[in-house]
Amino acid sequence: MEKVIVINNDVFGHGDRILGEKLMGAFLKKIWVRNEKPEAILFYNAGVKLTAKGSTVLDVLTGLSESGVELLACGTCINFYELKDKMMVGRISNMEEISSTMMEAKSVITI
């Protein structure tokens, strides 16, 4: 894999939560419209909330998935946040696959 993005929070950056939500949406939209996209986006910790019902970025994540970007959510995290029945996009993975994907990628970008 060339590029992998890691999202470990449901907001972009630290500080104001509303601003962080807007920034996360803007970031993902910019990735979606790029010709060059990452091969995978990995979600863990609170980042898995972005894949679940109620997320404000489901349309963008669905578009990324449909364009061939693999969306992998940490199963332990999904269970911790009780989101298994609410997950709307991507697939449940595990730390073995997540760590392997990160180690095999030429470039890992962590958000």
Side-chain angles (χ1 to χ4, degrees), residues 53-69:
K53 186 176 182 180
S55 167
T56 59
V57 295
L58 284 176
D59 59 335
V60 177
L61 292 179
T62 299
L64 284 163
S65 179
E66 290 172 352
S67 69
V69 178

Side-chain angles (χ1 to χ4, degrees), residues 10-81:
D10 57 338
V11 295
F12 194 101
H14 302 283
D16 186 82
R17 179 157 188 84
I18 294 170
L19 176 59
E21 289 173 358
K22 288 180 183 181
L23 292 173
M24 182 64 78
F27 171 78
L28 289 170
K29 285 177 186 169
K30 295 300 180 187
I31 296 299
W32 185 22
V33 299
R34 289 181 59 90
N35 289 330
E36 179 189 7
K37 293 177 178 56
E39 281 77 16
I41 301 178
L42 311 176
F43 300 88
Y44 61 83
N45 210 322
V48 299
K49 294 178 182 180
L50 297 175
T51 68
K53 186 176 182 180
S55 167
T56 59
V57 295
L58 284 176
D59 59 335
V60 177
L61 292 179
T62 299
L64 284 163
S65 179
E66 290 172 352
S67 69
V69 178
E70 189 168 19
L71 306 178
L72 304 175
C74 164
T76 301
C77 307
I78 290 288
N79 290 336
F80 179 83
Y81 289 108

